[in-house]
């Protein structure tokens, strides 16, 4: 306690204090879903991933990784690009492991914290691809088995939260235009795409959640809450559709700004059980390729 600090030690201590202060300010931004780069080069829909994941899905566990990923550029990778790559990995694995597979966050918490520490200790060499390699080491066979059994059973709940289901639809929407001819998502989502905000979306039932007496279809009644019968839709726009049959909804769908909605309306002039089966298979296959794209399968 009585030792005198040299000027060099005082400066080092002060710099650490300044660094901690900057981290605290950045942490507060991230916790509110605020993009930390201004003006930045990322598109608005990429920035919305941050708010959707941390504010919408409350996945605050990823904040230490993002704090560490916010560092100067090295080896041709920009600071912002590396930050977004880490964010997208957090998003994919959280929705896959916590959402679809139903695992507790403790299952991958240690991977997050080790990655955050490695980024701090090796700022010139540790990058998002190493973070990805760490994440895909988590019980590969269990991931694949749980995904296949759970994705088809992801349904809308009349009571309780449907945040996961809405986020799956959000991911489908933002990745939809990036699927190539083999139905595999490319690296980018929507290069110049529509601004899609998770918190501004609602879940729309194609065959209505409560059909009017003359429009009840017994086959569709059985699957009306399944993901193949659901669309992302604007909260305000959704309220005017309510219990309308598909024939009356379709004109609204055709003018939607959301790609998955207009595509559905263009591909299906009617909505029968066979239409549902086709779309449900397509949606589940897209999600399989999207969420499992880092696994060598």
């Amino acid at each position: 306690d009585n030792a005198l600090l040299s000027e060099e030690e005082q400066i080092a201590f002060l710099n650490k204090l300044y660094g901690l202060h900057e981290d605290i300010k950045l942490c507060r931004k991230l916790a509110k879903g605020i993009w930390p780069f201004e003006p930045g080069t990322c598109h608005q829909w990429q920035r919305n991933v941050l708010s959707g994941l941390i504010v919408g899905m409350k996945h605050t566990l990823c904040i230490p990784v993002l704090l560490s990923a916010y560092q100067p550029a090295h080896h041709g990778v920009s600071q912002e690009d590396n930050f977004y790559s880490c964010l997208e990995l957090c998003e994919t694995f959280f929705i896959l492991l916590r959402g679809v597979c139903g695992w507790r966050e403790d299952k991958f918490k240690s991977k997050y914290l080790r990655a955050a520490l490695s980024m701090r200790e090796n700022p010139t060499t540790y990058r998002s691809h190493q973070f990805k390699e760490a994440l895909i080491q988590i019980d590969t066979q269990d991931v694949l088995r749980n995904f296949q059994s759970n994705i088809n059973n992801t349904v809308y709940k009349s009571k309780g939260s449907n945040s996961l289901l809405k986020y799956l639809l959000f991911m489908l929407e933002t990745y939809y235009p990036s699927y190539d001819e083999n139905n595999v998502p490319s690296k980018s989502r929507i290069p110049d795409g529509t601004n899609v905000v998770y918190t501004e979306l609602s879940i729309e039932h194609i065959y209505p959640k409560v059909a009017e007496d003359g429009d009840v279809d017994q086959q569709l009644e059985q699957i009306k809450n399944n993901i193949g019968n659901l669309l992302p839709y604007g909260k305000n726009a959704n309220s005017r559709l309510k219990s309308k049959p598909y024939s009356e909804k379709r004109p609204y769908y055709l003018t939607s700004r959301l790609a998955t909605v207009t595509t559905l309306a263009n591909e299906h002039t009617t909505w029968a059980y066979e239409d549902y089966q086709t779309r449900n298979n397509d949606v589940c296959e897209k999600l399989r390729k999207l969420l499992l794209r880092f696994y060598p399968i």
Side-chain angles (χ1 to χ4, degrees):
D1 290 340
N2 296 323
L4 292 175
L5 293 176
S6 68
E7 184 176 355
E8 183 179 350
E9 289 172 324
Q10 291 176 46
I11 292 172
F13 178 78
L14 191 59
N15 286 338
K16 284 187 178 181
L17 212 54
Y18 279 129
L20 179 60
H21 183 227
E22 291 302 312
D23 272 357
I24 290 171
K25 291 194 295 184
L26 177 58
C27 183
R28 288 172 176 166
K29 275 188 174 182
L30 295 176
K32 294 178 181 177
I34 299 172
W35 193 250
F37 301 91
E38 290 300 339
T41 59
C42 281
H43 293 276
Q44 185 60 47
W45 56 264
Q46 290 175 298
R47 298 167 181 235
N48 292 341
V49 174
L50 180 67
S51 61
L53 186 62
I54 293 181
V55 179
M57 291 299 293
K58 298 179 173 55
H59 185 41
T60 55
L61 188 68
C62 69
I63 288 179
V65 173
L66 300 179
L67 277 171
S68 295
Y70 187 83
Q71 56 187 334
H74 294 281
H75 304 303
V77 180
S78 79
Q79 181 183 14
E80 191 172 10
D81 286 344
N82 185 66
F83 177 89
Y84 177 73
S85 295
C86 289
L87 169 63
E88 196 171 56
L89 286 168
C90 290
E91 175 197 41
T92 299
F93 281 92
F94 175 69
I95 296 302
L96 171 62
L97 300 178
R98 178 71 184 93
V100 179
C101 294
W103 294 357
R104 292 174 56 179
E105 290 190 350
D106 292 348
K107 195 88 171 179
F108 47 100
K109 179 179 180 179
S110 61
K111 300 287 186 185
Y112 274 17
L113 297 181
R114 285 196 194 106
L117 183 60
S118 295
M119 288 182 202
R120 294 274 179 173
E121 294 178 338
N122 307 282
T124 62
T125 57
Y126 194 97
R127 280 296 175 261
S128 58
H129 69 277
Q130 291 159 295
F131 181 36
K132 178 192 75 175
E133 292 302 319
L135 289 173
I136 64 175
Q137 300 304 317
I138 305 175
D139 299 333
T140 302
Q141 292 305 316
D142 283 347
V143 170
L144 303 181
R145 183 167 51 251
N146 287 340
F147 181 87
Q148 293 301 131
S149 62
N150 290 351
I151 192 63
N152 284 302
N153 296 319
T154 303
V155 298
Y156 180 90
K157 303 172 187 174
S158 298
K159 295 181 180 180
S161 172
N162 287 290
S163 58
L164 165 67
L165 188 54
K166 188 169 79 166
Y167 206 95
L168 288 171
L169 296 173
F170 168 73
M171 291 185 80
L172 273 174
E173 174 62 33
T174 55
Y175 271 101
Y176 190 84
S178 72
Y179 280 89
D180 62 22
E181 64 276 5
N182 296 315
N183 206 22
V184 176
S186 63
K187 291 182 180 179
S188 61
R189 288 166 104 161
I190 311 178
D192 296 300
T194 302
N195 183 24
V196 182
V197 183
Y198 168 82
T199 53
E200 294 177 2
L201 294 176
S202 64
I203 298 174
E204 156 70 0
H205 286 67
I206 303 169
Y207 172 80
K209 185 166 53 174
V210 181
E212 296 176 356
D213 290 342
D215 299 315
V216 173
D217 183 308
Q218 292 302 329
Q219 282 187 303
L220 291 176
E221 280 288 329
Q222 303 304 312
I223 53 79
K224 64 184 179 183
N225 290 323
N226 290 18
I227 196 167
N229 188 56
L230 305 174
L231 287 169
Y233 216 69
K235 286 182 178 179
N236 295 332
N238 195 6
S239 59
R240 66 170 173 259
L241 298 181
K242 290 186 177 179
S243 300
K244 293 181 183 295
Y246 181 71
S247 58
E248 294 182 33
K249 290 183 176 185
R250 187 168 177 259
Y252 292 99
Y253 289 174
L254 287 168
T255 61
S256 174
R257 65 186 181 88
L258 301 176
T260 48
V261 178
T262 54
T263 299
L264 172 97
N266 282 312
E267 292 180 351
H268 298 277
T269 55
T270 59
W271 191 249
Y273 185 75
E274 293 72 20
D275 298 291
Y276 154 77
Q277 285 182 309
T278 300
R279 182 172 185 271
N280 192 68
N281 292 338
D282 181 60
V283 165
C284 290
E285 180 64 9
K286 278 185 164 64
L287 286 172
R288 186 183 73 81
K289 290 183 175 179
L290 170 61
L291 295 173
L292 300 178
R293 68 190 186 279
F294 299 116
Y295 288 92
I297 56 172

